[in-house]
Amino acid sequence: MDRIIIKGDIVFTPTKDEFQVYKDSYLVSEEGKIIGIFDELEQRYQDYPINDYSGKIIIPGFVDLHLHAPQYANMGLGMDKELLPWLNTYTFPEEAKYSDTNYAMEVYSELVKDLWRNGTTSAVIFSSIHKGSTELLMDLFVRSKIRVYVGKVNMDRNSSKELTEDTYQSLKDTEDIILRYKDNSSLVKTIITPRFVPTCTDELMDGLGQLALKYDVPVQSHLCENVSEVEWVKELHPNLPNYSSVYNKYNLFGQTKTIMAHSIYVTDEELELMSENQVFAAHCVNSNFNLSSGIMPVRKFLNKGIPVGLGSDISGGHSLSIPRAIVSAIQGSKMIWLDSDMELQPLTCSEAFYLGTKGGGSFFGKVGSFEEGYEMDCLIVDDSNISNISRFTLEERIEKFLYLGDDRNILERYIQGKIVAEPK
Amino acid sequence: MDRIIIKGDIVFTPTKDEFQVYKDSYLVSEEGKIIGIFDELEQRYQDYPINDYSGKIIIPGFVDLHLHAPQYANMGLGMDKELLPWLNTYTFPEEAKYSDTNYAMEVYSELVKDLWRNGTTSAVIFSSIHKGSTELLMDLFVRSKIRVYVGKVNMDRNSSKELTEDTYQSLKDTEDIILRYKDNSSLVKTIITPRFVPTCTDELMDGLGQLALKYDVPVQSHLCENVSEVEWVKELHPNLPNYSSVYNKYNLFGQTKTIMAHSIYVTDEELELMSENQVFAAHCVNSNFNLSSGIMPVRKFLNKGIPVGLGSDISGGHSLSIPRAIVSAIQGSKMIWLDSDMELQPLTCSEAFYLGTKGGGSFFGKVGSFEEGYEMDCLIVDDSNISNISRFTLEERIEKFLYLGDDRNILERYIQGKIVAEPK
């Protein structure tokens, strides 16, 4: 049986309200799942192998609910533009290059390494429209043993010539990928990925919704990122009450589990629907800053019981680091607090950490926490260059790591109870 | 004569409107001052020593206009609090420890190293109230050859017992330090540093203003950071029209060159006075996010011709990195653009870079640019892990470095034309 015990200073957030901390304790797992946390090792675990990380922090691996793989090479580029001009000038031309799997191999290999480096152990990813490059990316993740959902993007209108698909072919390629990866890996899965309403005909959305239901495959898309985009959707679908209702009409809004990125300008009716359908919001605060989109009022979503996780959203976002997304989410929520006349309380550190671990992780199932039965995905953090360990509490050390640390502080990544080596 | 030529891809901002770029060129300096930039080396420079950094980017060193040295150990701590509770819970107790010069030596040595690591070649710094620790910090900078203004903090009311000075002693210590460092170093200078109006009696401010005029020493303080703080100042000085006018009354507002940190909630009258008196604003966006203070409308300041630079403001801010401050300043300005109904244009990348180099640098004199006669302070940036050099323009490479890079990309730091070694 596959057993491992790791020892160290354990920190996680079973609820968002506070950090649970276990100084100098043992995290026991079997078959890649958490058994429990113990301050002394019981007799029955005496013969389990122990990896001793005394003095280091052990936290759940980070979860990224939204990123665009084919935009990786564009990170930090064109940040002086807003969403729609940015898409046309930088993003679409770059994505068109992924018809070439050699180019895809070159860039995607770097992306996978960079996710690993940043301690992202689970991610939900947009690929491009290209079947070949999408499968290549999924195969890279299978090989590197990182937990992901990857979606081939669907778009058959309002796009550049190179990126406009034939509707039938778009659906066929999507179904092919679903079938190929159905039982292929416990870590790498397919997700249905209409780019966003403006680039998908009704026929395409209808077909995708049917595929989602037929194979019970989850869905991801974009929602209410930008004022002009919301207006555009209104023009395209004048008979539907709002943006969400377009997805909802086509079974792409929680009929199978669903993530909507951004969700900044959702109306109260849309919030209600997200809550009812338990649609996840991927909060991508750095992207929303960079593209002048606005700030999602996270507190409203939490108050409504809508599941929320964080997304790096490269290359609207400029960093794959989930700790950076955590800090920016806190910062953004403080600006919302000021704007709301101090009604919408800012995110606390434990709340934002929860969003970047268990909040996003719950999209995958039991991921992002150290409760019994959870996937044993964790990071070993060496914070000795940040905190004089004896001086700070464990809560203070985790806060300092989130604000000051970077990939250099991550010593090891475990997924399903196994150390993941740096991808080649 | 002290001469050096460095070769590489040169980028700087003589004006904020755009980057000036010189691919594969020579930056020539003598006696620590820039002579010029040349694409081919003229005969008369043939015998100058050349440091060849071909393929690397050469930019002016970063300038940090506002940071608190004795808060260095607190970076990333207590970020769930607002300004005034944060000061009382975290900041003041920590600052009180600097009565012990051993403790100061331990922490300040790390701070100096960290500034060096981040490529900050010029900084304007608050020390604590303690003369001994302040002098120790200044001596560390003299030894490490980094360009700084350091100010012993003055505060004689509304502070914790340990940090409340006797007014006479506060003035005497300040004058002692001014005299001791008057002609001590071309790099390390004194700056007069009333903490902020609430912690300074009229008598203290009056004395400090007199010292500033007597020795022609510059001034730094805090201004309009937070709504409660502004109200507090109004209560303390009911007969003066605004916060700025208190400093102005005591010759602490541009009578000698002056930096005011934050300046978020300044009125139009105060903006007018800052412009008239050419008072510098230190824009500390990460601190303002972290302490829920708000966002300074930088564009208004630039439109008024008020000089602006960037401040890390540790430990309200959580990072010494000026590139991070640059990115956050752009992000903040985009939120202001939205809030102002798209009236106040966001900062462009070149504008924010300007603020973090020449904008702040102009407080020191000819610092932060590569124009003739400027101090030869520069960084050599190796961006090979970020940008495939052949694919991107130099403007794109600098943007990518600012957004994605970190201290690992900084290969060398020059100050006054000499490579600065890592401080011990």
Side-chain angles (χ1 to χ4, degrees):
Chain A
M1 195 152 74
D2 229 355
R3 299 160 156 179
I4 185 79
I5 298 176
I6 61 176
K7 187 185 177 192
D9 297 336
I10 300 167
V11 181
F12 64 110
T13 45
T15 71
K16 60 186 171 54
D17 304 331
E18 58 178 349
F19 287 109
Q20 269 196 27
V21 306
Y22 297 84
K23 183 99 183 137
D24 211 24
S25 296
Y26 301 87
L27 181 64
V28 178
S29 69
E30 278 180 15
E31 301 292 350
K33 305 252 191 294
I34 305 287
I35 299 294
I37 296 169
F38 306 93
D39 55 354
E40 279 183 49
L41 217 46
E42 294 171 32
Q43 189 58 39
R44 57 187 164 145
Y45 301 125
Q46 293 295 347
D47 61 335
Y48 284 40
I50 298 187
N51 289 349
D52 189 340
Y53 302 107
S54 292
K56 311 284 184 288
I57 308 178
I58 303 171
I59 56 173
F62 293 120
V63 180
D64 189 337
L65 278 197
H66 185 66
L67 72 100
H68 293 266
Q71 297 174 23
Y72 178 67
N74 271 1
M75 283 202 302
L77 209 64
M79 302 275 81
D80 286 352
K81 292 199 183 302
E82 238 195 305
L83 177 65
L84 301 178
W86 172 82
L87 281 172
N88 291 319
T89 315
Y90 291 96
T91 309
F92 290 156
E94 177 67 17
E95 287 199 19
K97 294 185 193 165
Y98 287 76
S99 59
D100 173 4
T101 50
N102 289 322
Y103 185 70
M105 178 57 111
E106 191 192 316
V107 182
Y108 285 167
S109 305
E110 291 302 315
L111 166 69
V112 172
K113 253 184 248 181
D114 209 358
L115 282 166
W116 176 89
R117 204 179 290 130
N118 280 287
T120 298
T121 51
S122 302
V124 186
I125 299 175
F126 276 57
S127 170
S128 61
I129 59 166
H130 311 95
K131 188 181 165 196
S133 293
T134 303
E135 293 182 338
L136 181 149
L137 179 60
M138 294 178 81
D139 294 342
L140 283 175
F141 281 118
V142 170
R143 207 183 312 153
S144 61
K145 299 190 166 60
I146 294 176
R147 186 187 305 283
V148 288
Y149 282 104
V150 175
K152 185 205 100 59
V153 165
N154 306 97
M155 49 204 293
D156 67 346
R157 66 168 174 178
N158 293 321
S159 310
S160 63
K161 192 166 147 277
E162 295 76 16
L163 293 180
T164 305
E165 297 179 290
D166 168 75
T167 309
Y168 171 80
Q169 193 63 44
S170 178
L171 291 167
K172 187 177 175 312
D173 286 354
T174 304
E175 188 164 16
D176 285 353
I177 297 173
I178 292 172
L179 290 170
R180 182 163 165 212
Y181 289 87
K182 233 168 87 71
D183 308 302
N184 195 334
S185 154
S186 65
L187 289 171
V188 178
K189 308 272 186 192
T190 306
I191 184 163
I192 286 175
T193 307
R195 184 173 206 115
F196 68 147
V197 167
T199 62
C200 300
T201 61
D202 292 9
E203 190 189 351
L204 179 60
M205 286 192 280
D206 185 50
L208 291 173
Q210 288 180 35
L211 286 176
L213 293 173
K214 180 172 173 191
Y215 296 106
D216 191 23
V217 178
V219 171
Q220 65 179 342
S221 195
H222 296 96
L223 181 69
C224 299
E225 178 174 2
N226 174 295
V227 174
S228 329
E229 173 215 8
V230 174
E231 282 166 10
W232 192 13
V233 171
K234 199 170 279 172
E235 284 166 28
L236 292 167
H237 297 271
N239 300 322
L240 288 172
N242 53 46
Y243 199 155
S244 301
S245 61
V246 185
Y247 292 124
N248 196 45
K249 177 177 175 185
Y250 295 111
N251 296 306
L252 297 166
F253 206 69
Q255 286 73 19
T256 60
K257 62 182 180 179
T258 299
I259 300 174
M260 287 289 151
H262 311 304
S263 312
I264 300 172
Y265 296 101
V266 288
T267 61
D268 286 349
E269 291 72 36
E270 289 177 279
L271 273 179
E272 211 53 68
L273 189 62
M274 289 183 85
S275 173
E276 210 168 284
N277 293 8
Q278 286 294 291
V279 170
F280 280 68
H283 180 33
C284 308
V285 63
N286 272 306
S287 169
N288 301 156
F289 281 150
N290 289 338
L291 299 176
S292 304
S293 302
I295 306 173
M296 176 182 132
V298 192
R299 180 64 62 197
K300 273 196 190 175
F301 288 70
L302 298 178
N303 288 347
K304 282 260 174 219
I306 296 167
V308 181
L310 300 179
S312 66
D313 191 25
I314 60 157
S315 66
H318 59 279
S319 167
L320 285 172
S321 160
I322 293 299
R324 290 242 209 144
I326 287 171
V327 168
S328 296
I330 297 171
Q331 292 184 329
S333 74
K334 288 171 175 172
M335 296 306 101
I336 289 281
W337 174 74
L338 285 176
D339 277 354
S340 70
D341 275 333
M342 309 184 185
E343 195 191 309
L344 295 170
Q345 284 297 310
L347 291 175
T348 63
C349 190
S350 75
E351 287 180 324
F353 182 84
Y354 174 94
L355 297 183
T357 54
K358 190 176 174 182
S362 59
F363 187 76
F364 291 83
K366 293 192 164 186
V367 168
S369 184
F370 292 149
E371 294 150 83
E372 197 188 332
Y374 268 68
E375 298 285 323
M376 210 302 241
D377 299 354
C378 75
L379 307 177
I380 313 300
V381 174
D382 178 352
D383 64 333
S384 52
N385 72 323
I386 300 172
S387 291
N388 178 328
I389 291 170
S390 61
R391 191 185 147 192
F392 295 106
T393 68
L394 206 33
E395 287 86 348
E396 288 172 334
R397 284 171 60 198
I398 188 72
E399 186 178 14
K400 280 177 86 73
F401 163 66
L402 294 171
Y403 276 86
L404 274 59
D406 62 29
D407 56 285
R408 284 171 280 198
N409 299 103
I410 304 178
L411 214 60
E412 291 292 6
R413 298 96 180 131
Y414 284 77
I415 295 178
Q416 290 184 332
K418 292 200 179 66
I419 291 179
V420 181
E422 179 167 11
K424 287 206 189 74
Chain B
M1 196 151 76
D2 229 355
R3 299 160 156 181
I4 185 78
I5 297 176
I6 61 174
K7 186 186 177 190
D9 297 335
I10 300 167
V11 181
F12 65 108
T13 44
T15 72
K16 62 186 170 52
D17 303 331
E18 58 178 349
F19 288 110
Q20 269 195 28
V21 305
Y22 297 84
K23 184 97 183 138
D24 210 24
S25 297
Y26 301 86
L27 181 63
V28 178
S29 69
E30 278 180 16
E31 300 293 350
K33 304 253 192 293
I34 306 285
I35 299 293
I37 297 169
F38 305 92
D39 54 355
E40 278 182 51
L41 217 48
E42 293 170 33
Q43 189 58 39
R44 58 187 163 144
Y45 302 126
Q46 292 297 346
D47 61 333
Y48 285 38
I50 298 187
N51 290 348
D52 189 341
Y53 302 108
S54 291
K56 311 285 185 288
I57 308 177
I58 303 171
I59 55 174
F62 293 120
V63 180
D64 189 339
L65 278 196
H66 185 66
L67 72 100
H68 293 266
Q71 297 176 23
Y72 179 68
N74 270 1
M75 283 203 300
L77 209 65
M79 303 274 82
D80 286 352
K81 293 199 184 302
E82 238 194 306
L83 177 65
L84 299 178
W86 172 82
L87 281 172
N88 291 319
T89 316
Y90 291 96
T91 308
F92 290 155
E94 177 67 18
E95 287 198 19
K97 295 184 192 165
Y98 287 77
S99 59
D100 173 5
T101 50
N102 289 323
Y103 185 69
M105 179 57 112
E106 191 192 316
V107 183
Y108 285 165
S109 304
E110 290 302 316
L111 166 69
V112 173
K113 254 185 247 179
D114 209 359
L115 282 166
W116 175 88
R117 206 179 288 130
N118 280 287
T120 298
T121 50
S122 301
V124 185
I125 300 175
F126 276 57
S127 169
S128 61
I129 59 167
H130 311 95
K131 187 180 167 197
S133 292
T134 303
E135 294 181 337
L136 180 149
L137 179 60
M138 294 178 81
D139 293 342
L140 283 175
F141 282 118
V142 170
R143 206 181 314 151
S144 61
K145 300 190 166 56
I146 294 176
R147 184 188 305 284
V148 288
Y149 281 103
V150 175
K152 185 205 101 62
V153 165
N154 306 95
M155 47 205 292
D156 67 346
R157 65 169 175 178
N158 294 320
S159 311
S160 62
K161 193 165 146 278
E162 295 78 12
L163 293 180
T164 306
E165 299 179 288
D166 168 74
T167 309
Y168 171 80
Q169 192 64 42
S170 178
L171 291 168
K172 184 175 179 312
D173 286 353
T174 305
E175 188 163 17
D176 285 352
I177 297 173
I178 291 171
L179 290 171
R180 179 159 168 216
Y181 289 88
K182 234 167 85 72
D183 307 300
N184 195 334
S185 153
S186 64
L187 289 170
V188 178
K189 308 270 186 194
T190 305
I191 184 164
I192 286 176
T193 307
R195 183 174 207 113
F196 67 149
V197 167
T199 62
C200 300
T201 60
D202 292 7
E203 189 189 353
L204 180 60
M205 287 191 281
D206 185 50
L208 291 173
Q210 287 179 35
L211 285 177
L213 293 175
K214 179 171 175 192
Y215 296 105
D216 191 23
V217 178
V219 171
Q220 63 178 344
S221 194
H222 296 96
L223 180 70
C224 299
E225 178 173 4
N226 175 296
V227 175
S228 328
E229 173 214 9
V230 174
E231 282 165 11
W232 192 13
V233 172
K234 199 169 282 173
E235 283 165 29
L236 292 167
H237 297 271
N239 299 324
L240 288 172
N242 53 45
Y243 199 153
S244 302
S245 60
V246 184
Y247 293 124
N248 196 44
K249 177 177 175 185
Y250 295 111
N251 296 306
L252 298 166
F253 206 70
Q255 286 73 19
T256 61
K257 61 182 180 178
T258 299
I259 299 173
M260 287 288 152
H262 312 305
S263 314
I264 300 172
Y265 296 102
V266 287
T267 61
D268 286 348
E269 290 72 37
E270 288 177 280
L271 273 180
E272 211 54 66
L273 189 60
M274 289 183 86
S275 172
E276 209 169 288
N277 292 9
Q278 286 294 293
V279 170
F280 279 68
H283 180 32
C284 307
V285 63
N286 272 305
S287 169
N288 300 155
F289 281 150
N290 289 338
L291 299 176
S292 302
S293 302
I295 305 173
M296 176 183 133
V298 191
R299 180 64 60 196
K300 273 196 192 175
F301 289 70
L302 298 178
N303 288 347
K304 282 260 176 220
I306 296 167
V308 181
L310 300 179
S312 67
D313 190 25
I314 62 159
S315 70
H318 59 279
S319 167
L320 285 173
S321 160
I322 293 300
R324 288 242 208 142
I326 286 171
V327 169
S328 296
I330 297 172
Q331 293 184 328
S333 74
K334 288 171 175 172
M335 296 305 101
I336 288 281
W337 175 73
L338 285 176
D339 279 354
S340 69
D341 275 333
M342 310 184 185
E343 196 191 309
L344 295 170
Q345 286 297 310
L347 291 176
T348 63
C349 190
S350 73
E351 286 179 324
F353 182 85
Y354 174 93
L355 297 184
T357 53
K358 190 177 173 181
S362 58
F363 187 76
F364 290 83
K366 292 192 165 186
V367 168
S369 184
F370 292 149
E371 294 149 83
E372 198 188 330
Y374 269 68
E375 298 284 323
M376 211 301 243
D377 298 355
C378 75
L379 307 177
I380 313 300
V381 173
D382 179 352
D383 64 334
S384 53
N385 72 324
I386 299 172
S387 291
N388 177 328
I389 291 170
S390 62
R391 195 186 143 193
F392 295 106
T393 67
L394 206 35
E395 286 86 348
E396 289 172 335
R397 284 170 61 199
I398 188 71
E399 185 177 14
K400 280 177 86 72
F401 163 66
L402 294 171
Y403 277 87
L404 273 60
D406 63 29
D407 56 286
R408 285 171 279 197
N409 298 102
I410 304 177
L411 213 61
E412 291 292 6
R413 298 100 181 128
Y414 285 77
I415 296 179
Q416 291 184 331
K418 292 202 180 66
I419 292 179
V420 182
E422 180 167 9
K424 288 206 191 72

